[in-house]
Amino acid sequence: MAFEPPQRLVRALGETPDPASDADWLERLPGLAEAALARRGVEPQRVQAPGGRSSLVVLVRYPDGTPAALKLAPPDARPDRELTALAHWGGFGAVRVLDTRHHGEDGALLLERLHPEVSLRSLPETKALLEACGTLRRLWVAPPAGHGLETVEERTRAQSEALRAAPEEVRALAEAALAVRAELTALPGEELLLHGSFRQGKVLAGERAPWLTVGPDPLVGERAYDLARLVRDRLEDQVASSAGAAGARRRVNKLADALEVDRDRLRGWTLFRAVESGNRALAAGRRRDAELLWEFAAWL
């Protein structure tokens, strides 16, 4: 079968810091997919579309008919770290890894098949947040020994460099984000395994469990950092709501209380992550996304 990458993936990789390298990976992707399938002895059914922004997922079957999903991502997407987290969770709250034998050769992940068309975003907001909180409780565990994962301090330190060069129109917000990040990382905090990119769209319906998370960009640190991305989920709906700033602050407090996270630390990390994401969106030419993120951040 043809392994044509979905346009969503092609567009997203064109916005990365190294688009030339990712373009080379996309060109080699059909051959990489064929080789990965052959190594694992599984048969392709179809490419998942629209798919994700950082990987190609091929829905496959074992010879005995067992469904699975083969995920291929460029090396800079750090599939080795994703495997570290998924293997440590062992299917508890997260998609299960079915076979790791060939990961060192090609970086591909053979995963249990979930229902990619059904995420928490398909639920009413209140129910979706309830299920999301339950999933996060399962994921926040001590990291594996000798994990080698980034810490929150390390990841946000690198992100801060770009924020210092933010355009004048967002300079005040960028300075506020940098100041709050400095305060939040001043003293050692929690050291838990974090998903790193947790939001409603990253939690899919499964067979052995109602909801399982996928696509971690794992790191180690405090829960408030991980929860911060969920605060701004369904961003366009929040910005369009008449609740405005008061609604955003209520959402911070509600999620913090539900998961016993400090409200001020969650507000701070939500501010930093929204401003930083907006800065990256602008650099990638997505001005509307950037403006939505900055408007939300200003409410906090």
Side-chain angles (χ1 to χ4, degrees):
M1 67 174 284
F3 295 101
E4 188 72 24
Q7 283 304 302
R8 184 182 185 189
L9 174 62
V10 174
R11 287 194 301 270
L13 293 183
E15 298 172 357
T16 63
D18 189 4
S21 173
D22 289 327
D24 175 69
W25 179 80
L26 283 171
E27 187 175 333
R28 295 185 293 110
L29 186 54
L32 295 173
E34 290 280 8
L37 290 164
R39 288 188 186 99
R40 292 162 177 82
V42 291
E43 291 293 326
Q45 293 183 288
R46 62 181 174 88
V47 171
Q48 181 181 314
R53 293 174 53 85
S54 61
S55 63
L56 176 79
V57 176
V58 183
L59 303 183
V60 302
R61 284 192 183 277
Y62 279 95
D64 65 2
T66 301
L70 182 71
K71 179 177 181 179
L72 298 101
D76 56 9
R78 302 179 287 198
D80 55 328
R81 298 186 184 187
E82 180 173 354
L83 176 59
T84 295
L86 292 177
H88 190 61
W89 286 321
F92 188 63
V95 65
R96 180 173 286 157
V97 180
L98 299 180
D99 189 342
T100 63
R101 288 175 297 172
H102 303 286
H103 180 77
E105 299 171 60
D106 54 24
L109 295 170
L110 190 59
L111 308 169
E112 71 176 303
R113 176 93 63 91
L114 302 182
H115 297 285
E117 72 284 358
V118 184
S119 75
L120 286 184
R121 289 184 63 86
S122 66
L123 299 180
E125 174 73 348
T126 300
K127 176 65 172 173
L129 288 178
L130 180 65
E131 295 291 350
C133 289
T135 302
L136 279 173
R137 288 190 186 95
R138 297 178 181 91
L139 301 182
W140 289 337
V141 296
H147 54 77
L149 298 172
E150 281 181 300
T151 65
V152 167
E153 193 280 331
E154 289 168 340
R155 182 172 296 182
T156 58
R157 185 198 316 154
Q159 293 168 338
S160 295
E161 294 305 314
L163 267 185
R164 291 188 178 93
E168 186 63 34
E169 64 186 297
V170 73
R171 185 61 52 81
L173 267 178
E175 289 176 353
L178 290 167
V180 77
R181 183 257 171 199
E183 180 180 343
L184 290 169
T185 58
L187 296 174
E190 296 173 325
E191 293 189 3
L192 297 173
L193 179 59
L194 308 179
H195 183 285
S197 187
F198 188 86
R199 52 191 182 273
Q200 293 175 28
K202 291 281 190 176
V203 185
L204 305 181
E207 295 293 335
R208 63 178 176 85
W211 301 104
L212 295 165
T213 194
V214 298
D217 184 12
L219 70 169
V220 172
E222 66 168 308
R223 295 168 298 152
Y225 176 88
D226 221 17
L227 186 55
R229 177 59 183 81
L230 185 64
V231 173
R232 71 170 198 257
D233 229 338
R234 307 196 193 198
L235 181 59
E236 291 198 7
D237 292 344
Q238 291 193 60
V239 171
S241 167
S242 60
R249 290 191 288 269
R250 281 197 302 270
R251 189 178 176 95
V252 168
N253 294 340
K254 179 180 179 179
L255 285 170
D257 294 348
L259 287 165
E260 299 180 320
V261 169
D262 182 89
R263 288 181 173 187
D264 289 336
R265 296 189 73 84
L266 179 56
R267 187 201 69 82
W269 280 124
T270 303
L271 171 65
F272 177 86
R273 294 192 69 176
V275 175
E276 190 276 328
S277 292
N279 198 47
R280 279 190 288 112
L282 185 68
R286 293 183 283 112
R287 171 166 282 276
R288 172 169 167 73
D289 291 345
E291 290 175 345
L292 284 173
L293 286 159
W294 292 335
E295 182 176 357
F296 177 78
W299 288 348
L300 300 169

